[in-house]
Amino acid sequence: YTNDFSPNGTNLLVYNDKGQFLNPIGFRGRAGNEYSWVKNYWFEGENVCVLDFNARKIVKYTLDGRHIETVSITDKKSVFGSLIPFGEGFIGECTYVGSNGDYAPSPAIAYYDKDYNFVSNIGDHSIRSGIDMGNPISTYGKIAYYKHTLDRKIYTINSKLESSHTFTLDFGEMNMPDLATFKDEYEVASKLRDDTWAKRHVGASFNFSFTKDGFSFTYGIGKEFNIGSCNIKRGKTHSVKFKSER
């Protein structure tokens, strides 16, 4: 499966293990059985669930792309930006709820029940803007991981929804100043638009994927796109660099 980010939006596509295209999962559109944007997706048995953040609904399909049902989430009091199945419910990325432009801290992640209702915030993690910075949550087995896209700290969330600081990414002299030293995420974004500053610092790091041995992720330095990996058991790291003009 791949979330295809095209100029006109996103589509969820299925490929086999040889890289051959098989079929789409649904189609983009405004109908009840379509989605306007794939914020994230997950599997429930033999079905695929697509979160359409724009239309505030969850659309469910079979693995070959046939529509099963659409669940409206417009009536939910707490609005989530993305969801990851965890335990009997979901861990969700909260949307920013600051007011009057004060950019006060707002809860970053929370737990939701199987019907997508808010249960409780998780830890003291916070965000200070409404910038969409990707999906900050990933899971492996019975453990979830949270990382703010602009922070270097990675937190583990256990089955009791207890959060603890587990890893810190270290890029040496290219480390960005601690996120807490900035006014908000908008100030960080303005720094990253400065080519000279951006070339000297690792900016956003995201798309984390965990296994029993370690994790991999993507990160940016200026216009360079990098894929990094860390093998915790062997104590080794590796990085592959790409260059983009975008």
Side-chain angles (χ1 to χ4, degrees):
Y1 294 80
T2 180
N3 194 358
D4 175 34
F5 289 86
S6 63
N8 297 319
T10 60
N11 297 280
L12 189 59
L13 309 176
V14 183
Y15 294 82
N16 63 20
D17 56 5
K18 296 181 180 179
Q20 299 170 323
F21 174 72
L22 297 180
N23 60 269
I25 296 294
F27 296 96
R28 291 188 64 247
R30 297 184 179 182
N33 62 343
E34 298 173 328
Y35 48 80
S36 63
W37 180 35
V38 181
K39 174 58 175 169
N40 78 302
Y41 63 93
W42 63 91
F43 297 94
E44 291 184 357
E46 296 297 312
N47 301 326
V48 184
C49 301
V50 177
L51 172 60
D52 185 343
F53 178 78
N54 288 345
R56 306 305 303 152
K57 63 184 180 181
I58 294 169
V59 192
K60 299 183 179 182
Y61 301 94
T62 61
L63 295 181
D64 58 2
R66 291 181 291 108
H67 177 256
I68 300 174
E69 68 171 325
T70 297
V71 180
S72 173
I73 52 176
T74 56
D75 63 335
K76 304 305 175 184
K77 294 181 179 180
S78 182
V79 181
F80 41 79
S82 61
L83 290 174
I84 295 291
F86 192 72
E88 298 298 317
F90 300 87
I91 292 180
E93 169 200 10
C94 302
T95 55
Y96 185 66
V97 293
S99 60
N100 300 323
D102 57 4
Y103 301 113
S106 174
I109 53 176
Y111 192 70
Y112 301 83
D113 66 21
K114 61 182 179 62
D115 296 316
Y116 317 112
N117 296 303
F118 172 82
V119 177
S120 64
N121 292 321
I122 297 176
D124 58 357
H125 307 293
S126 64
I127 50 178
R128 290 177 290 166
S129 78
I131 298 178
D132 179 17
M133 293 176 288
N135 298 326
I137 310 161
S138 56
T139 58
Y140 178 74
K142 296 182 179 180
I143 298 295
Y145 298 90
Y146 167 75
K147 183 195 169 296
H148 189 296
T149 303
L150 298 176
D151 197 1
R152 294 187 292 114
K153 299 182 182 69
I154 301 173
Y155 296 84
T156 297
I157 302 170
N158 63 23
S159 59
K160 297 181 179 180
L161 302 180
E162 298 168 332
S163 173
S164 59
H165 177 201
T166 308
F167 306 108
T168 299
L169 301 179
D170 187 354
F171 300 99
E173 295 181 352
M174 302 199 76
N175 280 337
M176 189 167 66
D178 191 89
L179 184 60
T181 64
F182 293 93
K183 173 186 174 183
D184 50 45
E185 287 91 342
Y186 286 109
E187 183 178 3
V188 182
S190 66
K191 287 284 188 181
L192 293 174
R193 286 194 291 269
D194 181 334
D195 289 342
T196 301
W197 193 91
K199 289 178 181 178
R200 298 199 305 263
H201 299 87
V202 171
S205 50
F206 45 92
N207 292 334
F208 278 74
S209 178
F210 287 82
T211 68
K212 62 182 179 64
D213 296 322
F215 56 89
S216 61
F217 61 100
T218 56
Y219 64 97
I221 305 175
K223 293 182 178 180
E224 294 176 356
F225 177 76
N226 304 265
I227 298 177
S229 65
C230 176
N231 188 308
I232 300 170
K233 288 189 175 182
R234 297 183 180 181
K236 293 183 178 181
T237 60
H238 186 68
S239 181
V240 179
K241 182 187 300 183
F242 300 87
K243 188 171 182 180
S244 172
E245 296 304 320
R246 297 185 60 186

